[in-house]
Amino acid sequence: MPANAIVSVECIPMRLPFHHWSPPPLFAGRPRDKLDSALVRVRTEDGAVAWGESYCVEPRALTAIFETLIEPLARGKDGDDATLLPTMQRALHNLGRSGPVVHALAGLDIALWDLRAKRAGVPLHELLGGKRRDRVRVYASLLQYYGDAGKLDAVTTRALNEGYTEIKLHERTADALAAARRAAGPGVPIMVDTNCAWLPDEAPAAIAAMAPHDPFWIEEPLWTPEDDRALARLKETCGIALAVGENAANALALERMAEDAVVQYVQPSVIKLGLSAAWRIAQRCGDGPVACAPQVAFFGPGYLASLHLIAAQQKEVALERLYVELAHVPYGLSVPIEKGWVRVPDGPGLGADPEAALAAGQYSH
């Protein structure tokens, strides 16, 4: 077997307990006090190890997908073969063009980029054409506080005092944005992620109510999130930048949105779509009117992959960092956030591995 042949692909569910200075927010109707994703570990015949990350709502389902579908198709294949992932995508396409099979492939894709960069002895950003910036601004992405003005004031102030210069809310009301704006003062960019809050005929009035408080962008304003025609109409009338992409059904939908400039920001998630697709989307944006601002509500190899992408793409955007207190911080020592900035790693591949944290038993799964 060739030295670079894949001998195993493992799915390691990663559960990170967190606290956000408030009772747990609800996710799918249940209290949420842990952030879930899955590490993907690829080994090759010569002992090389590479890492990826997949979106993971249900660890049992994702693990089964890796064991029964992903590893059998990848085992024995050349890890340097650029056609490996597209071939697997076509082989599995009738199992869904979005959802856990696609998320599993996204994690494998990140690991393959890590593997190729390590084999070349270069940081991943070199495979993307090289970094255009040595450090990237980071914004504090607050979880939902359900419009509680006191908590929004306290957590916004806490983030700004730690050196962050941009804030994102996960709220749906003008009053919530007003509370954060009072805490931040004028001039501080405040994004608002509504998580697909409104139908197309509801959004204009809701956004108009937020306008006096100067939102930087409104994120995922519409249900359904890939309704490009409704987004284009809203963009033309609301006067505030729109961002969308975390929940787009597939990469092609985001590529079309970028090409047609139906919003000002597109937000691929590398742990849902893969780094290859996210990089294609970033390249489609180029120097045009739309910026690629990846969604990064995770902390493993996908976080590092997103950092490399932002460092290499043409337009400068900030990196999202969920503003929570984690029981364990993956890569916290490797890529520390210092006064709202993070340096781009220059080590081979992603620039850091989670091996030490795994050995210490820091991930519960």
Side-chain angles (χ1 to χ4, degrees), residues 47-316:
V49 178
W51 293 92
E53 185 176 6
S54 292
Y55 184 70
C56 180
V57 171
E58 174 42 65
R60 293 168 298 180
L62 193 68
T63 300
I65 287 167
F66 270 93
E67 290 175 351
T68 61
L69 298 173
I70 304 301
E71 186 181 56
L73 285 173
R75 193 187 307 121
K77 302 298 194 302
D78 181 351
D80 293 330
D81 183 359
T83 68
L84 174 57
L85 189 80
T87 299
M88 293 178 65
Q89 289 171 327
R90 292 179 70 173
L92 298 174
H93 80 274
N94 62 352
L95 299 179
R97 299 294 311 287
S98 63
V101 173
V102 175
H103 302 158
L105 288 166
L108 174 62
D109 182 48
I110 294 168
L112 292 175
W113 279 92
D114 185 37
L115 179 66
R116 291 167 192 149
K118 283 175 175 173
R119 287 198 176 281
V122 299
L124 194 151
H125 59 71
E126 286 298 317
L127 301 188
L128 303 176
K131 63 181 178 181
R132 294 172 181 263
R133 46 201 66 90
D134 291 321
R135 63 178 191 156
V136 169
R137 195 171 63 258
V138 184
Y139 68 83
S141 184
L142 281 57
L143 290 185
Q144 192 168 10
Y145 291 92
Y146 303 96
D148 186 314
K151 288 188 172 67
L152 286 163
D153 180 293
V155 180
T156 298
T157 301
R158 179 189 180 111
L160 294 173
N161 286 342
E162 288 184 9
Y164 291 95
T165 57
E166 300 182 9
I167 301 292
K168 184 160 83 176
L169 309 179
H170 287 79
E171 303 288 339
R172 298 183 173 189
T173 67
D175 287 346
L177 175 56
R181 176 57 68 199
R182 285 194 297 271
V188 173
I190 302 179
M191 296 77 94
V192 183
D193 185 350
T194 75
N195 293 119
C196 308
W198 305 303
L199 297 175
D201 61 350
E202 298 169 332
I207 293 175
M210 291 183 176
H213 310 298
D214 191 24
F216 185 77
W217 75 45
I218 305 294
E219 184 171 333
E220 290 204 311
L222 300 183
W223 179 260
T224 58
E226 55 276 306
D227 189 342
D228 55 344
R229 293 180 181 178
L231 284 164
R233 291 194 297 269
L234 183 61
K235 176 194 170 190
E236 292 303 314
T237 59
C238 76
I240 294 169
L242 302 178
V244 68
E246 170 191 355
N247 291 308
N250 57 60
L252 181 60
L254 274 189
E255 289 183 49
R256 294 275 173 84
M257 288 184 190
E259 288 176 354
D260 297 340
V262 302
V263 293
Q264 288 88 344
Y265 295 91
V266 289
Q267 300 175 292
S269 168
V270 298
I271 70 169
K272 290 182 177 179
L273 298 179
L275 179 57
S276 296
W279 182 239
R280 276 200 313 273
I281 292 163
Q283 289 178 301
R284 290 292 175 93
C285 292
D287 60 357
V290 181
C292 178
Q295 185 265 358
V296 195
F298 37 86
F299 298 92
Y303 180 85
L304 292 183
S306 301
L307 176 56
H308 283 276
L309 184 154
I310 290 172
Q313 72 174 13
Q314 192 161 348
K315 290 193 178 71
E316 182 177 1

Side-chain angles (χ1 to χ4, degrees), residues 31-43:
R32 180 189 193 189
D33 61 0
K34 296 178 180 66
L35 298 167
D36 293 328
S37 65
L39 297 172
V40 178
R41 179 163 53 195
V42 171
R43 299 182 189 271

